[in-house]
């Protein structure tokens, strides 16, 4: 083979070096121009960030996804997306406790075999014949551990969430022989779904009667007492207080993370729901503690006619979850970390602290004030930290919901709760990410 002259080798080396230098120079120029374009796009006012601009940025991120300028464009777009993000806190979707349950591992896992839960019936000798005994036992145990309700001499009626139990209670307390539907009342601000649920089927047994504070009609009535109250978080007692009145106590939020446990609730009929205790809204389980046997029978009959019982699978899962909550409280000093209620109470306290710091910086908004009380569960004086914020827009803002909507925060107007639109209800039960966005957005208004 003939030798290549040394001069030719030298020329080839130089050619390769020159080619490499030109390529590096070209790449650096692209990066520089990309960064300049990124800086200019970030300087633009948010009002100029229209659909076309957004589309161009997305395209540039796809084309240059492997370059440094792609990362810069991504950062800018993420910042824009954060400011344009719609923060929906209208619903009380209780995803706030997801972190705790992810950390708990397989403690709440259950296995339901194919041959289990096949029958409609659980125990036909029981008034609530579809009530799973495992679930009933864990309900009684949890109330005993927390000390928030008297269970002795009570019948347990299980329902598909407390909404079904609410309607079952109205059915059970109404008379089928009355000349007129019985009025159902609740002091404003009341839970926004009460009027709609009460009148939705236009029942001849009961009808919505309005604000209990101003109710003056004669004859029997049903009064709803929500304590702590949804939406404002205050502890409630009955308002009408007449001998012909029947009371339904909605105690969905009477748990240690929301309010001090001052004494066990001793009522004729109390409603509870799994969703607001542990966050498992999708399991769709609630229960009623009922003193009167005939009322418990009629409530059970309503659920039988409405849904032929309640899912056994959901009851078994709920039993496992409630067991884990009770275990965590009874094993507080173990190496397992904070109990569920300690974890959730710390979380709610921290959220309310952040919110009050933001609101107190200005004069545009105001928050309710709560009186501290001794909590028998935590054995210390604590201030309530409700599941919802009852926010008031001060000054010239007459429609607080519309005002916050302009800032891409979705809330529920006070008019749905029977009061002024200067108020809104805001959920405190959303994810950490959504709550963080909310605090940032509120502080920027």
């Amino acid at each position: 083979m003939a030798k290549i002259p040394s001069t030719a080798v030298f020329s080839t080396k130089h050619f390769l070096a020159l080619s490499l230098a030109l390529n590096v120079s070209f790449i650096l120029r692209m990066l520089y121009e990309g960064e300049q374009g990124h800086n200019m796009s970030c300087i633009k006012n948010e009002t100029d960030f229209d659909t076309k601009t957004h589309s161009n940025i997305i395209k540039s991120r796809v084309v240059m996804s492997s370059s440094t300028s792609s990362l810069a464009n991504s950062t800018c777009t993420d910042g824009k997306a954060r400011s344009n993000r719609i923060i929906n806190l209208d619903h009380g979707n209780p995803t706030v406790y997801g972190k705790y349950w992810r950390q708990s591992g397989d403690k709440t896992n259950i296995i339901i075999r194919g041959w289990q839960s096949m029958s409609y019936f659980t125990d036909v000798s029981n008034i609530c014949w579809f009530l799973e005994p495992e679930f009933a036992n864990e309900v009684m145990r949890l109330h005993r551990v927390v000390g928030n309700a008297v269970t002795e001499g009570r019948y347990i009626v299980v329902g598909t969430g407390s909404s079904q139990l609410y309607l079952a209670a109205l059915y059970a307390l109404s008379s089928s022989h009355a000349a007129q539907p019985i009025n159902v009342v609740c002091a404003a601000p009341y839970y926004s779904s009460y009027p709609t649920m009460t009148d939705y089927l236009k029942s001849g047994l009961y009808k919505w009667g309005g604000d209990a504070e101003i109710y003056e009609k004669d004859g029997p009535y049903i009064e709803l007492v929500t304590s702590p109250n949804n939406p404002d978080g205050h502890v409630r007692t009955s308002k009408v207080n007449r001998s012909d009145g029947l009371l339904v106590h909605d105690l969905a939020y009477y748990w240690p993370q929301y309010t001090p446990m001052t004494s066990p609730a001793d009522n004729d009929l109390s409603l509870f729901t799994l969703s607001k205790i542990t966050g498992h809204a999708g399991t769709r389980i609630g229960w009623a503690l009922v003193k009167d046997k005939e009322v418990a029978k009629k409530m059970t009959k309503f659920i039988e006619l409405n849904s032929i019982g309640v899912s056994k699978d959901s009851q078994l899962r709920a039993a496992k979850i409630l067991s884990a909550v009770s275990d965590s409280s009874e094993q507080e000093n173990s190496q397992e970390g904070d109990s569920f209620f300690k974890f959730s109470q710390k979380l709610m306290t921290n959220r309310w602290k952040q919110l009050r710091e933001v609101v107190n910086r200005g004069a545009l908004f105001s928050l309710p004030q709560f009186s501290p009380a001794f909590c028998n569960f935590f054995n210390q004086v604590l201030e309530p930290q409700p599941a919802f914020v009852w926010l008031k827009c001060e000054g010239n803002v007459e429609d607080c919901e519309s005002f916050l909507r302009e800032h891409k925060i979705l809330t529920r107007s006070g008019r749905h709760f029977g009061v002024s639109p200067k108020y809104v209800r805001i959920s405190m039960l959303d994810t950490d990410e959504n709550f963080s966005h909310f605090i940032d957005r509120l502080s920027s208004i």
Side-chain angles (χ1 to χ4, degrees):
M1 180 181 294
K3 288 186 177 181
I4 299 175
S6 61
T7 55
V9 174
F10 179 80
S11 299
T12 301
K13 289 180 178 179
H14 277 75
F15 175 76
L16 291 173
L18 179 61
S19 176
L20 180 61
L22 288 172
N23 276 289
V24 170
S25 174
F26 178 70
I27 292 172
L28 288 174
R29 181 172 180 177
M30 285 183 64
L31 292 176
Y32 173 77
E33 290 177 350
E35 176 118 357
Q36 291 300 309
H38 158 71
N39 289 339
M40 290 304 296
S41 68
C42 283
I43 290 172
K44 282 188 176 182
N45 190 281
E46 185 176 323
T47 56
D48 296 330
F49 189 74
D50 57 10
T51 306
K52 182 177 178 181
T53 307
H54 179 70
S55 176
N56 289 338
I57 290 178
I58 297 299
K59 288 177 182 177
S60 71
R61 290 175 64 184
V62 173
V63 173
M64 303 181 67
S65 61
S66 61
S67 69
T68 306
S69 59
S70 168
L71 180 61
N73 279 332
S74 174
T75 303
C76 178
T77 305
D78 289 345
K80 297 284 188 181
R82 185 179 179 90
S83 62
N84 285 324
R85 175 181 181 143
I86 295 175
I87 304 170
N88 190 347
L89 298 174
D90 176 23
H91 302 288
N93 193 26
T95 51
V96 61
Y97 306 124
K99 181 179 179 181
Y100 178 87
W101 294 115
R102 283 192 294 271
Q103 292 174 349
S104 69
D106 60 358
K107 291 180 180 178
T108 55
N109 292 359
I110 61 171
I111 296 175
I112 300 176
R113 294 173 175 82
W115 48 264
Q116 286 182 280
S117 306
M118 293 184 67
S119 174
Y120 288 117
F121 306 99
T122 299
D123 181 1
V124 294
S125 66
N126 193 350
I127 288 178
C128 187
W129 50 265
F130 43 81
L131 174 65
E132 287 291 310
E134 185 178 344
F135 174 71
N137 290 337
E138 292 301 335
V139 164
M140 301 284 276
R141 178 189 176 200
L142 183 64
H143 284 304
R144 185 172 63 252
V145 168
V146 175
N148 65 339
V150 173
T151 57
E152 291 77 11
R154 301 306 196 274
Y155 299 93
I156 298 176
V157 180
V158 64
T160 306
S162 60
S163 296
Q164 185 185 41
L165 289 164
Y166 167 69
L167 295 175
L170 297 187
Y171 171 80
L173 296 176
S174 303
S175 172
S176 58
H177 306 295
Q180 297 290 332
I182 190 171
N183 283 299
V184 181
V185 298
C186 184
Y190 41 70
Y191 176 41
S192 56
S193 291
Y194 280 157
T196 306
M197 288 195 297
T198 304
D199 288 340
Y200 186 69
L201 296 179
K202 302 186 184 303
S203 170
L205 298 176
Y206 49 80
K207 66 177 182 179
W208 181 248
D211 187 354
E213 290 275 17
I214 57 175
Y215 183 74
E216 296 179 346
K217 293 181 180 179
D218 295 330
Y221 65 92
I222 298 173
E223 182 177 355
L224 311 172
V225 182
T226 309
S227 186
N229 189 40
N230 174 1
D232 63 13
H234 289 293
V235 173
R236 285 281 191 87
T237 58
S238 59
K239 301 296 182 181
V240 183
N241 293 320
R242 294 207 302 256
S243 59
D244 50 358
L246 302 166
L247 300 181
V248 176
H249 285 81
D250 186 343
L251 304 184
Y253 304 96
Y254 191 47
W255 296 98
Q257 66 265 50
Y258 304 122
T259 193
M261 299 291 95
T262 55
S263 62
D266 187 5
N267 307 313
D268 290 341
L269 199 166
S270 298
L271 306 180
F272 298 90
T273 176
L274 181 72
S275 62
K276 299 309 185 289
I277 307 170
T278 67
H280 293 87
T283 306
R284 305 308 305 130
I285 286 290
W287 65 92
L289 298 179
V290 187
K291 183 182 287 187
D292 186 273
K293 184 176 182 179
E294 294 305 312
V295 172
K297 284 182 177 179
K298 287 189 69 176
M299 290 182 68
T300 300
K301 187 64 178 179
F302 176 90
I303 295 171
E304 175 187 328
L305 296 172
N306 185 249
S307 56
I308 320 180
V310 175
S311 167
K312 292 185 178 183
D313 294 353
S314 290
Q315 291 186 63
L316 292 175
R317 186 184 186 217
K320 189 71 171 179
I321 293 165
L322 295 182
S323 175
V325 172
S326 295
D327 286 347
S328 72
S329 295
E330 291 177 339
Q331 301 166 5
E332 183 69 52
N333 296 323
S334 69
Q335 301 300 315
E336 297 293 328
D338 285 345
S339 70
F340 171 76
F341 285 123
K342 181 170 284 188
F343 171 91
S344 52
Q345 197 271 342
K346 285 181 180 178
L347 189 152
M348 295 302 295
T349 300
N350 183 56
R351 287 193 172 191
W352 271 93
K353 179 181 178 182
Q354 292 181 64
L355 179 64
R356 288 196 183 279
E357 286 175 353
V358 169
V359 170
N360 290 340
R361 289 176 195 157
L364 182 57
F365 304 110
S366 62
L367 294 169
Q369 298 299 317
F370 303 104
S371 300
F374 186 82
C375 178
N376 293 319
F377 180 78
F378 286 117
N379 200 32
Q380 60 180 305
V381 175
L382 294 172
E383 186 174 305
Q385 47 269 327
F388 295 101
V389 179
W390 191 232
L391 189 76
K392 182 181 181 183
C393 284
E394 302 289 352
N396 296 325
V397 178
E398 296 298 328
D399 189 338
C400 199
E401 179 188 33
S402 297
F403 175 74
L404 291 173
R405 184 181 290 270
E406 292 173 1
H407 295 275
K408 299 185 176 66
I409 302 175
L410 304 186
T411 62
R412 191 171 299 185
S413 172
R415 62 168 61 94
H416 297 296
F417 302 89
V419 296
S420 166
K422 286 184 74 69
Y423 292 90
V424 292
R425 191 196 73 170
I426 302 173
S427 173
M428 293 286 275
L429 301 179
D430 217 295
T431 61
D432 289 340
E433 180 186 14
N434 229 21
F435 181 76
S436 176
H437 286 308
F438 166 62
I439 291 296
D440 290 345
R441 187 74 55 79
L442 199 67
S443 63
S444 68
I445 297 177

